[in-house]
Amino acid sequence: AKEDVRPLVRLGNWIMEQLTELNRLDWAFEESHTSLEQFSVDPKEFANRLARSARIDPVGYSCLVELVGWREARARSADLPRTWVMHNETLVSLAKTRPKQMEELGHFRGVKPRELKNQGEEILKCLRRGEQAQHVPPKSERHFSPLTAQEDVMVDFVRSYVAYLSEKHQICGKYLLTVDTARQIVGQRKADLDRWVELGILSSWAKDLVGEEVKSLLEGKTALVLRRHHHIRRTKERVG
């Protein structure tokens, strides 16, 4: 077993050396940090995420909140991953259909026989509570206005540029920008870099690494030109 681990130690040391050389060791530690709070789930927040793409009605949302809370408690008490208790798709299906009897509940393929036997009545109680509870989806702490069609194009433009920058700086693009944060940056393009960090759009590390370049692009100070083989070339001439 010791021989199996030794290559991992060498690999770990090499990664540490590379991160130190790039002055990104603290950034890596920050990204890798975990706490117990990261593993806790707010039933309303989680149900809200599931409901966005499920076309679920208000009563169904309330039932989903109750089901998410039940699964969280069940997973903790049994010391099991959440999806081992019940998959997200099954929770949504139950919240939308809302079976009334154990027999109906047994027809759901995602409800495992053991859970049906031990937790079936509790699941039905969750659905009944949900029908009465009238939970209201939480409002986002950060409000961003919907983007126009032109701004949607700008989002694609920014993402393409950040993909180029991530390759240039030898870093995975998701640590610089995601689809969601690209949309937020376009919506908040008139704000300064510190405001982007304050809003949680960019991390302080990402701001220092690519913030000025993204800002320059959005202000028209940097233009992108596609050359052969689809490589992006950057110019510093002002656009427009």
Side-chain angles (χ1 to χ4, degrees), residues 201-212:
I201 298 173
L202 284 184
S203 69
S204 59
W205 297 96
K207 183 203 78 170
D208 293 341
L209 192 63
V210 301
E212 289 288 354

Side-chain angles (χ1 to χ4, degrees), residues 31-240:
E31 291 289 346
S32 303
H33 174 73
T34 58
S35 65
L36 291 177
E37 292 182 357
Q38 290 179 266
F39 298 99
S40 63
V41 167
D42 182 305
K44 286 190 176 181
E45 290 285 357
F46 196 85
N48 199 32
R49 292 205 303 269
L50 294 179
R52 284 174 188 167
S53 58
R55 296 183 180 180
I56 197 166
D57 61 27
V59 175
Y61 169 78
S62 290
C63 291
L64 189 55
V65 170
E66 295 292 337
L67 289 170
V68 169
W70 161 78
R71 184 182 67 172
E72 184 70 8
R74 175 66 172 160
R76 285 178 177 272
S77 65
D79 195 22
L80 292 172
R82 297 181 184 97
T83 54
W84 285 23
V85 176
M86 190 170 289
H87 284 281
N88 293 338
E89 295 80 3
T90 306
L91 294 178
V92 172
S93 181
L94 287 170
K96 293 173 74 172
T97 308
R98 301 191 281 278
K100 306 295 184 185
Q101 305 293 333
M102 287 285 287
E103 184 179 356
E104 297 175 70
L105 189 59
H107 292 312
F108 282 81
R109 185 168 53 183
V111 179
K112 297 178 180 179
R114 180 178 295 179
E115 290 303 311
L116 179 64
K117 179 181 178 180
N118 297 331
Q119 295 289 311
E121 288 296 339
E122 188 59 37
I123 293 172
L124 293 176
K125 287 179 182 179
C126 286
L127 294 171
R128 289 195 290 269
R129 284 198 303 269
E131 290 177 334
Q132 301 295 324
Q134 298 181 343
H135 292 293
V136 178
K139 293 182 179 180
S140 175
E141 294 181 3
R142 301 192 303 266
H143 174 72
F144 298 97
S145 301
L147 301 184
T148 65
Q150 184 178 7
E151 287 174 328
D152 278 332
V153 175
M154 293 175 65
V155 170
D156 292 335
F157 202 45
V158 169
R159 291 181 64 204
S160 297
Y161 188 38
V162 171
Y164 160 74
L165 292 175
S166 67
E167 184 175 350
K168 170 188 170 183
H169 293 294
Q170 300 180 355
I171 188 170
C172 182
K174 70 178 183 179
Y175 295 118
L176 300 177
L177 201 71
T178 64
V179 177
D180 186 43
T181 53
R183 294 180 63 83
Q184 294 172 15
I185 276 181
V186 169
Q188 295 286 324
R189 60 189 177 277
K190 294 183 179 180
D192 60 29
L193 296 178
D194 289 333
R195 180 59 176 162
W196 286 356
V197 174
E198 182 183 337
L199 290 170
I201 298 173
L202 284 184
S203 69
S204 59
W205 297 96
K207 183 203 78 170
D208 293 341
L209 192 63
V210 301
E212 289 288 354
E213 294 181 278
V214 173
K215 188 70 173 173
S216 179
L217 177 73
L218 290 170
E219 291 176 345
K221 297 176 182 178
T222 296
L224 302 183
V225 181
L226 291 177
R227 300 298 190 191
R228 294 179 61 184
H229 307 299
H230 303 288
H231 291 310
I232 294 178
R233 294 293 184 268
R234 205 171 43 138
T235 70
K236 281 291 186 178
E237 298 177 2
R238 185 171 182 83
V239 180

